[in-house]
Amino acid sequence: MSECLFCQINKGAIPSEKVYDSDGLFAIKDVNPQAPIHLLIIPKKHFSTILEIQEEDHELIGSIYSIANRLAKDNGLDQTGFRVVVNCGKEAGQSVFHIHYHLLGGRPFKWPPG
Ligand code: AMP
Ligand code: ZN
């Protein structure tokens, strides 16, 4: 997926502010933050949407929550609350078609989301 933005970021071909890196996952600061803390947790394996996740991917996808917990705690969000959000498809507002988990915190959020 050489044209994919997050595959390019993973390869280092496009710069990013990395806050976490491991064999299977990395996390970066969102370039257009919607909250004081806005990170993206991204599997290195290319999935266009969460609809492509298979049973063999469950361990990798599950590990995203360990990293979300860790990054939330590192940023003090476990004390106040935070959101982990995945947009899937056009009407949900997905704009980058390589799956990513938004970790948002540092302000109150409304429900339902817009
Ligand atoms: P989504 O709309 O759910 O697909 O989220 C895509 C997110 O990627 C948005 O919040 C963008 O601000 C963010 N984004 C786009 N380009 C970059 C980039 N080069 N570095 C970091 N975040 C980005
Ligand atoms: Zn990709």
PDB file of all heavy atoms in Angstrom, residues 1 4-8 44-47 97-98, ligand 2:
ATOM      1  N   MET A   1       0.856  -1.205   0.000  1.00  0.00           N
ATOM      2  CA  MET A   1       0.000   0.000   0.000  1.00  0.00           C
ATOM      3  C   MET A   1       0.883   1.243   0.000  1.00  0.00           C
ATOM      4  O   MET A   1       0.883   2.034   0.947  1.00  0.00           O
ATOM      5  CB  MET A   1      -0.902  -0.029   1.247  1.00  0.00           C
ATOM      6  CG  MET A   1      -2.114  -0.913   1.083  1.00  0.00           C
ATOM      7  SD  MET A   1      -3.302  -0.171  -0.030  1.00  0.00           S
ATOM      8  CE  MET A   1      -4.094  -1.638  -0.642  1.00  0.00           C
ATOM      9  N   CYS A   4      -0.533   4.737   0.602  1.00  0.00           N
ATOM     10  CA  CYS A   4      -1.321   4.970   1.817  1.00  0.00           C
ATOM     11  C   CYS A   4      -0.566   5.885   2.785  1.00  0.00           C
ATOM     12  O   CYS A   4       0.606   5.654   3.093  1.00  0.00           O
ATOM     13  CB  CYS A   4      -1.630   3.632   2.482  1.00  0.00           C
ATOM     14  SG  CYS A   4      -2.239   3.790   4.165  1.00  0.00           S
ATOM     15  N   LEU A   5      -1.249   6.905   3.292  1.00  0.00           N
ATOM     16  CA  LEU A   5      -0.619   7.892   4.185  1.00  0.00           C
ATOM     17  C   LEU A   5       0.012   7.234   5.417  1.00  0.00           C
ATOM     18  O   LEU A   5       1.171   7.519   5.756  1.00  0.00           O
ATOM     19  CB  LEU A   5      -1.671   8.927   4.613  1.00  0.00           C
ATOM     20  CG  LEU A   5      -1.216   9.960   5.637  1.00  0.00           C
ATOM     21  CD1 LEU A   5      -0.114  10.847   5.078  1.00  0.00           C
ATOM     22  CD2 LEU A   5      -2.393  10.802   6.121  1.00  0.00           C
ATOM     23  N   PHE A   6      -0.740   6.369   6.093  1.00  0.00           N
ATOM     24  CA  PHE A   6      -0.205   5.816   7.340  1.00  0.00           C
ATOM     25  C   PHE A   6       0.852   4.752   7.071  1.00  0.00           C
ATOM     26  O   PHE A   6       1.759   4.573   7.899  1.00  0.00           O
ATOM     27  CB  PHE A   6      -1.329   5.316   8.246  1.00  0.00           C
ATOM     28  CG  PHE A   6      -2.155   6.442   8.847  1.00  0.00           C
ATOM     29  CD1 PHE A   6      -3.415   6.201   9.371  1.00  0.00           C
ATOM     30  CD2 PHE A   6      -1.668   7.741   8.893  1.00  0.00           C
ATOM     31  CE1 PHE A   6      -4.176   7.230   9.922  1.00  0.00           C
ATOM     32  CE2 PHE A   6      -2.411   8.783   9.434  1.00  0.00           C
ATOM     33  CZ  PHE A   6      -3.675   8.526   9.955  1.00  0.00           C
ATOM     34  N   CYS A   7       0.802   4.059   5.924  1.00  0.00           N
ATOM     35  CA  CYS A   7       1.915   3.167   5.553  1.00  0.00           C
ATOM     36  C   CYS A   7       3.166   4.004   5.286  1.00  0.00           C
ATOM     37  O   CYS A   7       4.273   3.624   5.682  1.00  0.00           O
ATOM     38  CB  CYS A   7       1.551   2.315   4.334  1.00  0.00           C
ATOM     39  SG  CYS A   7       0.400   0.967   4.680  1.00  0.00           S
ATOM     40  N   GLN A   8       2.994   5.152   4.651  1.00  0.00           N
ATOM     41  CA  GLN A   8       4.126   6.055   4.385  1.00  0.00           C
ATOM     42  C   GLN A   8       4.720   6.587   5.695  1.00  0.00           C
ATOM     43  O   GLN A   8       5.946   6.677   5.837  1.00  0.00           O
ATOM     44  CB  GLN A   8       3.671   7.252   3.535  1.00  0.00           C
ATOM     45  CG  GLN A   8       3.210   6.894   2.129  1.00  0.00           C
ATOM     46  CD  GLN A   8       4.372   6.581   1.216  1.00  0.00           C
ATOM     47  OE1 GLN A   8       5.445   7.140   1.366  1.00  0.00           O
ATOM     48  NE2 GLN A   8       4.155   5.664   0.295  1.00  0.00           N
ATOM     49  N   LYS A  44       0.566  -1.503  12.142  1.00  0.00           N
ATOM     50  CA  LYS A  44       1.456  -1.392  10.975  1.00  0.00           C
ATOM     51  C   LYS A  44       0.899  -2.148   9.781  1.00  0.00           C
ATOM     52  O   LYS A  44       1.126  -1.759   8.633  1.00  0.00           O
ATOM     53  CB  LYS A  44       2.860  -1.886  11.345  1.00  0.00           C
ATOM     54  CG  LYS A  44       3.535  -0.931  12.326  1.00  0.00           C
ATOM     55  CD  LYS A  44       4.955  -1.313  12.659  1.00  0.00           C
ATOM     56  CE  LYS A  44       5.568  -0.229  13.556  1.00  0.00           C
ATOM     57  NZ  LYS A  44       6.939  -0.542  13.986  1.00  0.00           N
ATOM     58  N   LYS A  45       0.168  -3.223  10.056  1.00  0.00           N
ATOM     59  CA  LYS A  45      -0.489  -3.960   8.964  1.00  0.00           C
ATOM     60  C   LYS A  45      -1.580  -3.089   8.366  1.00  0.00           C
ATOM     61  O   LYS A  45      -2.326  -2.438   9.103  1.00  0.00           O
ATOM     62  CB  LYS A  45      -1.087  -5.260   9.542  1.00  0.00           C
ATOM     63  CG  LYS A  45      -1.824  -6.115   8.533  1.00  0.00           C
ATOM     64  CD  LYS A  45      -2.280  -7.433   9.166  1.00  0.00           C
ATOM     65  CE  LYS A  45      -3.140  -8.225   8.194  1.00  0.00           C
ATOM     66  NZ  LYS A  45      -3.642  -9.490   8.794  1.00  0.00           N
ATOM     67  N   HIS A  46      -1.641  -3.073   7.038  1.00  0.00           N
ATOM     68  CA  HIS A  46      -2.634  -2.229   6.373  1.00  0.00           C
ATOM     69  C   HIS A  46      -4.008  -2.899   6.346  1.00  0.00           C
ATOM     70  O   HIS A  46      -4.168  -3.971   5.766  1.00  0.00           O
ATOM     71  CB  HIS A  46      -2.204  -1.908   4.934  1.00  0.00           C
ATOM     72  CG  HIS A  46      -3.199  -1.041   4.223  1.00  0.00           C
ATOM     73  ND1 HIS A  46      -3.107   0.338   4.191  1.00  0.00           N
ATOM     74  CD2 HIS A  46      -4.340  -1.349   3.565  1.00  0.00           C
ATOM     75  CE1 HIS A  46      -4.132   0.826   3.532  1.00  0.00           C
ATOM     76  NE2 HIS A  46      -4.905  -0.181   3.138  1.00  0.00           N
ATOM     77  N   PHE A  47      -4.986  -2.261   6.992  1.00  0.00           N
ATOM     78  CA  PHE A  47      -6.399  -2.608   6.851  1.00  0.00           C
ATOM     79  C   PHE A  47      -7.077  -1.312   6.406  1.00  0.00           C
ATOM     80  O   PHE A  47      -6.888  -0.280   7.064  1.00  0.00           O
ATOM     81  CB  PHE A  47      -7.055  -2.964   8.180  1.00  0.00           C
ATOM     82  CG  PHE A  47      -6.416  -4.055   8.993  1.00  0.00           C
ATOM     83  CD1 PHE A  47      -5.351  -3.773   9.860  1.00  0.00           C
ATOM     84  CD2 PHE A  47      -6.909  -5.348   8.953  1.00  0.00           C
ATOM     85  CE1 PHE A  47      -4.800  -4.767  10.660  1.00  0.00           C
ATOM     86  CE2 PHE A  47      -6.362  -6.346   9.751  1.00  0.00           C
ATOM     87  CZ  PHE A  47      -5.303  -6.060  10.597  1.00  0.00           C
ATOM     88  N   PHE A  97      -7.890   5.815   4.925  1.00  0.00           N
ATOM     89  CA  PHE A  97      -8.342   4.431   4.822  1.00  0.00           C
ATOM     90  C   PHE A  97      -7.217   3.446   5.130  1.00  0.00           C
ATOM     91  O   PHE A  97      -6.848   2.607   4.313  1.00  0.00           O
ATOM     92  CB  PHE A  97      -9.049   4.214   3.476  1.00  0.00           C
ATOM     93  CG  PHE A  97     -10.451   4.790   3.522  1.00  0.00           C
ATOM     94  CD1 PHE A  97     -10.650   6.164   3.383  1.00  0.00           C
ATOM     95  CD2 PHE A  97     -11.540   3.985   3.795  1.00  0.00           C
ATOM     96  CE1 PHE A  97     -11.926   6.711   3.489  1.00  0.00           C
ATOM     97  CE2 PHE A  97     -12.815   4.524   3.907  1.00  0.00           C
ATOM     98  CZ  PHE A  97     -13.012   5.889   3.753  1.00  0.00           C
ATOM     99  N   HIS A  98      -6.690   3.610   6.328  1.00  0.00           N
ATOM    100  CA  HIS A  98      -5.779   2.671   7.005  1.00  0.00           C
ATOM    101  C   HIS A  98      -6.198   2.795   8.454  1.00  0.00           C
ATOM    102  O   HIS A  98      -6.118   3.906   9.021  1.00  0.00           O
ATOM    103  CB  HIS A  98      -4.320   3.076   6.772  1.00  0.00           C
ATOM    104  CG  HIS A  98      -3.309   2.239   7.497  1.00  0.00           C
ATOM    105  ND1 HIS A  98      -2.160   1.755   6.894  1.00  0.00           N
ATOM    106  CD2 HIS A  98      -3.254   1.814   8.791  1.00  0.00           C
ATOM    107  CE1 HIS A  98      -1.450   1.058   7.776  1.00  0.00           C
ATOM    108  NE2 HIS A  98      -2.092   1.089   8.938  1.00  0.00           N
TER     109      HIS A  98
HETATM  110 ZN    ZN B   2      -1.746   1.687   4.892  1.00  0.00          ZN
END
